[in-house]
Amino acid sequence: MSGKETSFSNETHQLLVTVSRHLYLDKKGVITYQKKPFDININNYSKSNKEHLVYYALLDHFSGNFIFDLGTTRRMLPLADFLHFAWRKEEEDHFYGLPLSVSVPKRISSPGLLEGLQNLKVEPFHPASGFSSGVHIIKKLEENIFYSVLHRSALHYLGAIDNYKSEIYWYMLELTVKGNCIEIWRDNLPPAGPAAVSGYDHFVTAFPASPDEKTVLPLLASGGPAKSSELKPLPRFLTAPAEDLPFSQEKLDKAQDLIYEAWEWGGKRRGLKWAYEALEISPFCADAFNYLAFQSRYTQEQLFLYRCAVQVGEAALGELFFKKNSGHFWVLIETRPYMRALVGLAECLWDTGQKDEAIKKFWELLRLNPGDNQGIRYILGFRLLEENRQDELDKLFKEHDSQKENSCFMLYNKALHLFRKGDSEAGRVLQQAIKSNEQVYSYLSGEESIPFRLPASYSPGARSEAEIYASETKKAWDNTAGALAWVQKALLNTEEPDLPRQVPVTIEQALQEFLDDQALRLKKSTLDKYSSVIELLEACLEGYGYNYLDEAEGELFEQNYDSAVDEDAVFCRLFGPEKIAYNAGEFLGYFMPRKVICGEDLLRASGSVMKKLSSWLLEKGYIDPEDSAYIKEIAKKATRDLPAADRLSKALFDYVESQPFIKDAEEELDHLFKIIKVEPGMIHLEAPGSEEAVVVKVPARVSHLCREGFMLNLLLIKNKEGWVIAETGSVYML
């Protein structure tokens, strides 16, 4: 069976269980990443003092469709439980049904497992060397867990990963592509469909109840099926109701101080750990939940965290406090975490389509604090206009128009509201609105494009203010017949030509302008790739750009860095686009392959986007032709070599993982090696400080992917047969 090609879906599944060499749980249960791989596998994990993640996967050999679950080296999933989970048809119905056979690697095989599979009429076999191992799925799975959880989520706990399984499958199975793995699997199932699996209690009877064997992995759970909540516990501050938690004002004050530190000094990784620590000190720290929500890129996760923040904020203040202080909340410092949480919750409710509840929350904010230090009247006006709630708009302007403010947001909102009602005052209010900011019409009408990324702040009467206003209300203006023509007519005698730019453009401004221009011509999926590459470029410039400054520029950078509120945006706000050329090699040759975990598609896109950016910067006059040509040369090489380096990295990983543990090493070399010669089944490496090349035997499939000039991070071990690769790290271009 091991050498036979499969002909249909669910003919053969491959069972894979691997210990992560990069991800582990710290003492607090937080998933942590280590760049340098651990020397650990399924046979020696018990020697490690860390709790490593363990990946369980079942892969359909014909289609590439798969299903996975996670445990840890201290909380293993019983194999029978995992198989039942994988073969049943429940929540994850993209993969189910008993196969005819299953590949079981020898490392995780046991007599009890083989006997149980045979009792289920599933033929087990050990894969031969010619049978695809599917190990690449594990590496890709780890990369996607890193991106979906450690990069995008704010809850770095094992139990939270289940919330993002659908996204991980979406990326790994390429569900946006026609003819993806799931479609292939469904279209090629046997006519009778997948063979159904029995209920759990009956399923586990197929396996020996007390196997007389020592196994690397547990086969059956003691006392029934393993509960996910036991194997993947979440911290109590995420699961316990606020009323069940003891309250201490002293502990809350201590936790709040820690969160202030996180906001002011913490990068994302350190800030998240401080937020977890604050919530362990006091689960009533609403601002800690606010911080987590701010760091999350998932709307549903933000919604959950802001709900938690509101609940613990209300509990910490107490019912009597609300009765006594409603009407002047913001002036009391202790209310501000709760008020911030309520704004975040309202915005998330709106974004998830719960608009009635969102509007109630905005009104509640104004009831608690009519002075409106948070600018809620503007946001509520945007939302009421979009929903055309005229009675509530009348109430809003009645309660807040007494301030006679000249805010662009309030004046344009009121002008549109009065226009819809046919009120004679509409024209006068519109003239006031135009006077407050004449640039709004350009963005509402489409003459100017609303930026893909909105400015983080604005100034009254400035372009930034117009961009933010138009982004919030364009839908309401577009849905009001005749409204834009009315504004255009009012503008005829008030427009003035744009003033020329008075200051040089910064890197941040240029990259934003570039994305805005691309948004006019690219579809959303492509634009998202452009945005990701530009975001990574900015991160590289902020982290490494200072290395290419002269002495005077370096002093200027240090002065601004020391006084900056946002340390992650100093370089791009201080220097012009000409600095991009100086850092292009650093970005594509070092940063992308060594500091970014991503798919081959984004690696290839990084070169393409940089090539397009170099042409655009030249057209705009932001860089000279020589710099543009330099960026294009590097980008062209990166478009070809970055994906090739990634393929080589995966092939090296698969090769090393398939090798037995090396004993009796005579000599070791742990270096960054340069490939200086490639032969079929052999590579010649140059190590720093060494005059002689190191010759290493590798499979032909690996040498085929090697290119002279590639740099390999390797641990080599010499034994009687010569040099062999024991560990592999990054592969990147010279």
Side-chain angles (χ1 to χ4, degrees), residues 600-625:
E600 187 175 313
D601 191 34
L602 187 58
L603 288 172
R604 186 181 294 107
S606 65
S608 302
V609 173
M610 287 298 289
K611 186 176 179 181
K612 177 67 178 177
L613 176 62
S614 69
S615 298
W616 183 89
L617 290 170
L618 180 62
E619 291 170 7
K620 293 289 185 179
Y622 293 151
I623 62 174
D624 59 39

PDB file of all heavy atoms in Angstrom, residues 600-625:
ATOM      1  N   GLU A 600       4.696  31.742   0.600  1.00  0.00           N
ATOM      2  CA  GLU A 600       5.468  32.042  -0.605  1.00  0.00           C
ATOM      3  C   GLU A 600       4.828  33.168  -1.407  1.00  0.00           C
ATOM      4  O   GLU A 600       5.523  33.974  -2.032  1.00  0.00           O
ATOM      5  CB  GLU A 600       5.566  30.771  -1.449  1.00  0.00           C
ATOM      6  CG  GLU A 600       6.485  30.860  -2.653  1.00  0.00           C
ATOM      7  CD  GLU A 600       6.615  29.530  -3.366  1.00  0.00           C
ATOM      8  OE1 GLU A 600       6.829  28.512  -2.678  1.00  0.00           O
ATOM      9  OE2 GLU A 600       6.502  29.508  -4.606  1.00  0.00           O
ATOM     10  N   ASP A 601       3.509  33.240  -1.358  1.00  0.00           N
ATOM     11  CA  ASP A 601       2.793  34.264  -2.118  1.00  0.00           C
ATOM     12  C   ASP A 601       3.182  35.670  -1.671  1.00  0.00           C
ATOM     13  O   ASP A 601       3.445  36.549  -2.496  1.00  0.00           O
ATOM     14  CB  ASP A 601       1.283  34.054  -1.947  1.00  0.00           C
ATOM     15  CG  ASP A 601       0.477  34.902  -2.906  1.00  0.00           C
ATOM     16  OD1 ASP A 601       0.935  35.119  -4.036  1.00  0.00           O
ATOM     17  OD2 ASP A 601      -0.612  35.356  -2.518  1.00  0.00           O
ATOM     18  N   LEU A 602       3.257  35.902  -0.344  1.00  0.00           N
ATOM     19  CA  LEU A 602       3.618  37.226   0.154  1.00  0.00           C
ATOM     20  C   LEU A 602       5.099  37.515  -0.085  1.00  0.00           C
ATOM     21  O   LEU A 602       5.481  38.661  -0.339  1.00  0.00           O
ATOM     22  CB  LEU A 602       3.294  37.344   1.646  1.00  0.00           C
ATOM     23  CG  LEU A 602       3.467  38.735   2.267  1.00  0.00           C
ATOM     24  CD1 LEU A 602       2.604  39.765   1.542  1.00  0.00           C
ATOM     25  CD2 LEU A 602       3.121  38.732   3.744  1.00  0.00           C
ATOM     26  N   LEU A 603       5.942  36.497  -0.024  1.00  0.00           N
ATOM     27  CA  LEU A 603       7.361  36.701  -0.329  1.00  0.00           C
ATOM     28  C   LEU A 603       7.537  37.189  -1.761  1.00  0.00           C
ATOM     29  O   LEU A 603       8.293  38.120  -2.035  1.00  0.00           O
ATOM     30  CB  LEU A 603       8.132  35.393  -0.129  1.00  0.00           C
ATOM     31  CG  LEU A 603       8.338  34.934   1.317  1.00  0.00           C
ATOM     32  CD1 LEU A 603       8.933  33.536   1.352  1.00  0.00           C
ATOM     33  CD2 LEU A 603       9.228  35.910   2.075  1.00  0.00           C
ATOM     34  N   ARG A 604       6.816  36.536  -2.690  1.00  0.00           N
ATOM     35  CA  ARG A 604       6.901  36.957  -4.090  1.00  0.00           C
ATOM     36  C   ARG A 604       6.322  38.364  -4.260  1.00  0.00           C
ATOM     37  O   ARG A 604       6.871  39.199  -4.991  1.00  0.00           O
ATOM     38  CB  ARG A 604       6.155  35.974  -4.978  1.00  0.00           C
ATOM     39  CG  ARG A 604       6.304  36.257  -6.480  1.00  0.00           C
ATOM     40  CD  ARG A 604       5.529  35.254  -7.319  1.00  0.00           C
ATOM     41  NE  ARG A 604       6.098  33.921  -7.195  1.00  0.00           N
ATOM     42  CZ  ARG A 604       5.548  32.938  -6.520  1.00  0.00           C
ATOM     43  NH1 ARG A 604       4.408  33.127  -5.863  1.00  0.00           N
ATOM     44  NH2 ARG A 604       6.114  31.748  -6.447  1.00  0.00           N
ATOM     45  N   ALA A 605       5.215  38.632  -3.550  1.00  0.00           N
ATOM     46  CA  ALA A 605       4.577  39.945  -3.662  1.00  0.00           C
ATOM     47  C   ALA A 605       5.475  41.056  -3.145  1.00  0.00           C
ATOM     48  O   ALA A 605       5.430  42.181  -3.653  1.00  0.00           O
ATOM     49  CB  ALA A 605       3.255  39.948  -2.890  1.00  0.00           C
ATOM     50  N   SER A 606       6.327  40.766  -2.155  1.00  0.00           N
ATOM     51  CA  SER A 606       7.188  41.815  -1.603  1.00  0.00           C
ATOM     52  C   SER A 606       8.106  42.378  -2.668  1.00  0.00           C
ATOM     53  O   SER A 606       8.343  43.592  -2.730  1.00  0.00           O
ATOM     54  CB  SER A 606       7.994  41.275  -0.417  1.00  0.00           C
ATOM     55  OG  SER A 606       8.891  40.263  -0.831  1.00  0.00           O
ATOM     56  N   GLY A 607       8.635  41.510  -3.536  1.00  0.00           N
ATOM     57  CA  GLY A 607       9.468  41.997  -4.633  1.00  0.00           C
ATOM     58  C   GLY A 607       8.670  42.786  -5.648  1.00  0.00           C
ATOM     59  O   GLY A 607       9.096  43.854  -6.111  1.00  0.00           O
ATOM     60  N   SER A 608       7.477  42.287  -6.013  1.00  0.00           N
ATOM     61  CA  SER A 608       6.641  42.968  -7.001  1.00  0.00           C
ATOM     62  C   SER A 608       6.200  44.345  -6.518  1.00  0.00           C
ATOM     63  O   SER A 608       6.209  45.320  -7.273  1.00  0.00           O
ATOM     64  CB  SER A 608       5.408  42.108  -7.319  1.00  0.00           C
ATOM     65  OG  SER A 608       5.784  40.841  -7.799  1.00  0.00           O
ATOM     66  N   VAL A 609       5.812  44.425  -5.251  1.00  0.00           N
ATOM     67  CA  VAL A 609       5.347  45.708  -4.695  1.00  0.00           C
ATOM     68  C   VAL A 609       6.498  46.714  -4.634  1.00  0.00           C
ATOM     69  O   VAL A 609       6.320  47.892  -4.964  1.00  0.00           O
ATOM     70  CB  VAL A 609       4.724  45.506  -3.302  1.00  0.00           C
ATOM     71  CG1 VAL A 609       4.403  46.848  -2.648  1.00  0.00           C
ATOM     72  CG2 VAL A 609       3.453  44.667  -3.402  1.00  0.00           C
ATOM     73  N   MET A 610       7.679  46.254  -4.235  1.00  0.00           N
ATOM     74  CA  MET A 610       8.830  47.163  -4.176  1.00  0.00           C
ATOM     75  C   MET A 610       9.195  47.665  -5.572  1.00  0.00           C
ATOM     76  O   MET A 610       9.594  48.824  -5.747  1.00  0.00           O
ATOM     77  CB  MET A 610      10.018  46.455  -3.527  1.00  0.00           C
ATOM     78  CG  MET A 610       9.884  46.260  -2.032  1.00  0.00           C
ATOM     79  SD  MET A 610       9.777  47.826  -1.113  1.00  0.00           S
ATOM     80  CE  MET A 610      11.449  48.428  -1.295  1.00  0.00           C
ATOM     81  N   LYS A 611       9.072  46.826  -6.564  1.00  0.00           N
ATOM     82  CA  LYS A 611       9.353  47.247  -7.938  1.00  0.00           C
ATOM     83  C   LYS A 611       8.354  48.319  -8.379  1.00  0.00           C
ATOM     84  O   LYS A 611       8.726  49.341  -8.978  1.00  0.00           O
ATOM     85  CB  LYS A 611       9.274  46.036  -8.865  1.00  0.00           C
ATOM     86  CG  LYS A 611       9.698  46.324 -10.302  1.00  0.00           C
ATOM     87  CD  LYS A 611       9.676  45.038 -11.130  1.00  0.00           C
ATOM     88  CE  LYS A 611      10.077  45.328 -12.572  1.00  0.00           C
ATOM     89  NZ  LYS A 611      10.035  44.100 -13.400  1.00  0.00           N
ATOM     90  N   LYS A 612       7.075  48.099  -8.071  1.00  0.00           N
ATOM     91  CA  LYS A 612       6.051  49.084  -8.409  1.00  0.00           C
ATOM     92  C   LYS A 612       6.275  50.376  -7.626  1.00  0.00           C
ATOM     93  O   LYS A 612       6.141  51.488  -8.168  1.00  0.00           O
ATOM     94  CB  LYS A 612       4.666  48.502  -8.079  1.00  0.00           C
ATOM     95  CG  LYS A 612       3.505  49.476  -8.321  1.00  0.00           C
ATOM     96  CD  LYS A 612       3.331  49.776  -9.797  1.00  0.00           C
ATOM     97  CE  LYS A 612       2.148  50.714 -10.027  1.00  0.00           C
ATOM     98  NZ  LYS A 612       2.016  51.078 -11.446  1.00  0.00           N
ATOM     99  N   LEU A 613       6.648  50.251  -6.346  1.00  0.00           N
ATOM    100  CA  LEU A 613       6.887  51.425  -5.511  1.00  0.00           C
ATOM    101  C   LEU A 613       8.039  52.256  -6.053  1.00  0.00           C
ATOM    102  O   LEU A 613       7.969  53.492  -6.062  1.00  0.00           O
ATOM    103  CB  LEU A 613       7.185  50.981  -4.073  1.00  0.00           C
ATOM    104  CG  LEU A 613       7.558  52.088  -3.073  1.00  0.00           C
ATOM    105  CD1 LEU A 613       6.400  53.078  -2.909  1.00  0.00           C
ATOM    106  CD2 LEU A 613       7.951  51.484  -1.724  1.00  0.00           C
ATOM    107  N   SER A 614       9.095  51.605  -6.537  1.00  0.00           N
ATOM    108  CA  SER A 614      10.247  52.355  -7.051  1.00  0.00           C
ATOM    109  C   SER A 614       9.857  53.193  -8.266  1.00  0.00           C
ATOM    110  O   SER A 614      10.286  54.342  -8.402  1.00  0.00           O
ATOM    111  CB  SER A 614      11.379  51.389  -7.414  1.00  0.00           C
ATOM    112  OG  SER A 614      11.051  50.599  -8.533  1.00  0.00           O
ATOM    113  N   SER A 615       9.022  52.629  -9.153  1.00  0.00           N
ATOM    114  CA  SER A 615       8.560  53.389 -10.332  1.00  0.00           C
ATOM    115  C   SER A 615       7.676  54.555  -9.914  1.00  0.00           C
ATOM    116  O   SER A 615       7.780  55.662 -10.448  1.00  0.00           O
ATOM    117  CB  SER A 615       7.790  52.465 -11.283  1.00  0.00           C
ATOM    118  OG  SER A 615       8.616  51.440 -11.772  1.00  0.00           O
ATOM    119  N   TRP A 616       6.809  54.293  -8.953  1.00  0.00           N
ATOM    120  CA  TRP A 616       5.886  55.342  -8.488  1.00  0.00           C
ATOM    121  C   TRP A 616       6.646  56.480  -7.816  1.00  0.00           C
ATOM    122  O   TRP A 616       6.358  57.659  -8.051  1.00  0.00           O
ATOM    123  CB  TRP A 616       4.882  54.719  -7.525  1.00  0.00           C
ATOM    124  CG  TRP A 616       3.834  55.659  -7.015  1.00  0.00           C
ATOM    125  CD1 TRP A 616       2.626  55.933  -7.585  1.00  0.00           C
ATOM    126  CD2 TRP A 616       3.912  56.465  -5.824  1.00  0.00           C
ATOM    127  NE1 TRP A 616       1.935  56.850  -6.823  1.00  0.00           N
ATOM    128  CE2 TRP A 616       2.693  57.195  -5.736  1.00  0.00           C
ATOM    129  CE3 TRP A 616       4.863  56.632  -4.838  1.00  0.00           C
ATOM    130  CZ2 TRP A 616       2.435  58.080  -4.700  1.00  0.00           C
ATOM    131  CZ3 TRP A 616       4.596  57.518  -3.797  1.00  0.00           C
ATOM    132  CH2 TRP A 616       3.409  58.228  -3.738  1.00  0.00           C
ATOM    133  N   LEU A 617       7.612  56.157  -6.963  1.00  0.00           N
ATOM    134  CA  LEU A 617       8.411  57.194  -6.296  1.00  0.00           C
ATOM    135  C   LEU A 617       9.167  58.045  -7.310  1.00  0.00           C
ATOM    136  O   LEU A 617       9.303  59.260  -7.136  1.00  0.00           O
ATOM    137  CB  LEU A 617       9.396  56.539  -5.324  1.00  0.00           C
ATOM    138  CG  LEU A 617       8.801  55.898  -4.058  1.00  0.00           C
ATOM    139  CD1 LEU A 617       9.863  55.082  -3.320  1.00  0.00           C
ATOM    140  CD2 LEU A 617       8.202  56.939  -3.127  1.00  0.00           C
ATOM    141  N   LEU A 618       9.649  57.404  -8.379  1.00  0.00           N
ATOM    142  CA  LEU A 618      10.360  58.154  -9.423  1.00  0.00           C
ATOM    143  C   LEU A 618       9.403  59.083 -10.164  1.00  0.00           C
ATOM    144  O   LEU A 618       9.729  60.251 -10.428  1.00  0.00           O
ATOM    145  CB  LEU A 618      11.020  57.174 -10.400  1.00  0.00           C
ATOM    146  CG  LEU A 618      11.803  57.807 -11.551  1.00  0.00           C
ATOM    147  CD1 LEU A 618      12.968  58.632 -11.024  1.00  0.00           C
ATOM    148  CD2 LEU A 618      12.300  56.716 -12.516  1.00  0.00           C
ATOM    149  N   GLU A 619       8.201  58.584 -10.496  1.00  0.00           N
ATOM    150  CA  GLU A 619       7.205  59.405 -11.193  1.00  0.00           C
ATOM    151  C   GLU A 619       6.819  60.630 -10.375  1.00  0.00           C
ATOM    152  O   GLU A 619       6.589  61.715 -10.920  1.00  0.00           O
ATOM    153  CB  GLU A 619       5.956  58.566 -11.494  1.00  0.00           C
ATOM    154  CG  GLU A 619       6.159  57.484 -12.537  1.00  0.00           C
ATOM    155  CD  GLU A 619       4.966  56.548 -12.620  1.00  0.00           C
ATOM    156  OE1 GLU A 619       3.948  56.836 -11.947  1.00  0.00           O
ATOM    157  OE2 GLU A 619       5.045  55.540 -13.350  1.00  0.00           O
ATOM    158  N   LYS A 620       6.739  60.455  -9.059  1.00  0.00           N
ATOM    159  CA  LYS A 620       6.358  61.555  -8.177  1.00  0.00           C
ATOM    160  C   LYS A 620       7.518  62.511  -7.894  1.00  0.00           C
ATOM    161  O   LYS A 620       7.308  63.569  -7.285  1.00  0.00           O
ATOM    162  CB  LYS A 620       5.832  61.003  -6.847  1.00  0.00           C
ATOM    163  CG  LYS A 620       4.514  60.253  -6.961  1.00  0.00           C
ATOM    164  CD  LYS A 620       3.367  61.200  -7.242  1.00  0.00           C
ATOM    165  CE  LYS A 620       2.026  60.475  -7.247  1.00  0.00           C
ATOM    166  NZ  LYS A 620       0.902  61.399  -7.496  1.00  0.00           N
ATOM    167  N   GLY A 621       8.727  62.148  -8.321  1.00  0.00           N
ATOM    168  CA  GLY A 621       9.879  62.995  -8.055  1.00  0.00           C
ATOM    169  C   GLY A 621      10.421  62.861  -6.648  1.00  0.00           C
ATOM    170  O   GLY A 621      11.200  63.705  -6.198  1.00  0.00           O
ATOM    171  N   TYR A 622      10.042  61.784  -5.939  1.00  0.00           N
ATOM    172  CA  TYR A 622      10.478  61.594  -4.562  1.00  0.00           C
ATOM    173  C   TYR A 622      11.866  60.956  -4.474  1.00  0.00           C
ATOM    174  O   TYR A 622      12.534  61.058  -3.438  1.00  0.00           O
ATOM    175  CB  TYR A 622       9.481  60.736  -3.796  1.00  0.00           C
ATOM    176  CG  TYR A 622       8.129  61.385  -3.587  1.00  0.00           C
ATOM    177  CD1 TYR A 622       6.972  60.604  -3.485  1.00  0.00           C
ATOM    178  CD2 TYR A 622       7.994  62.764  -3.488  1.00  0.00           C
ATOM    179  CE1 TYR A 622       5.725  61.181  -3.289  1.00  0.00           C
ATOM    180  CE2 TYR A 622       6.758  63.359  -3.301  1.00  0.00           C
ATOM    181  CZ  TYR A 622       5.635  62.570  -3.196  1.00  0.00           C
ATOM    182  OH  TYR A 622       4.407  63.157  -3.003  1.00  0.00           O
ATOM    183  N   ILE A 623      12.291  60.237  -5.513  1.00  0.00           N
ATOM    184  CA  ILE A 623      13.637  59.670  -5.559  1.00  0.00           C
ATOM    185  C   ILE A 623      14.213  59.914  -6.947  1.00  0.00           C
ATOM    186  O   ILE A 623      13.485  60.207  -7.904  1.00  0.00           O
ATOM    187  CB  ILE A 623      13.644  58.151  -5.234  1.00  0.00           C
ATOM    188  CG1 ILE A 623      12.823  57.364  -6.259  1.00  0.00           C
ATOM    189  CG2 ILE A 623      13.148  57.892  -3.829  1.00  0.00           C
ATOM    190  CD1 ILE A 623      12.907  55.852  -6.083  1.00  0.00           C
ATOM    191  N   ASP A 624      15.533  59.782  -7.090  1.00  0.00           N
ATOM    192  CA  ASP A 624      16.163  60.012  -8.391  1.00  0.00           C
ATOM    193  C   ASP A 624      16.233  58.707  -9.181  1.00  0.00           C
ATOM    194  O   ASP A 624      16.033  57.615  -8.634  1.00  0.00           O
ATOM    195  CB  ASP A 624      17.549  60.639  -8.214  1.00  0.00           C
ATOM    196  CG  ASP A 624      18.490  59.765  -7.392  1.00  0.00           C
ATOM    197  OD1 ASP A 624      18.462  58.527  -7.564  1.00  0.00           O
ATOM    198  OD2 ASP A 624      19.243  60.326  -6.578  1.00  0.00           O
ATOM    199  N   PRO A 625      16.513  58.768 -10.489  1.00  0.00           N
ATOM    200  CA  PRO A 625      16.522  57.560 -11.340  1.00  0.00           C
ATOM    201  C   PRO A 625      17.500  56.493 -10.858  1.00  0.00           C
ATOM    202  O   PRO A 625      17.230  55.298 -10.985  1.00  0.00           O
ATOM    203  CB  PRO A 625      16.925  58.107 -12.709  1.00  0.00           C
ATOM    204  CG  PRO A 625      16.490  59.534 -12.695  1.00  0.00           C
ATOM    205  CD  PRO A 625      16.690  60.000 -11.286  1.00  0.00           C
TER     206      PRO A 625
END
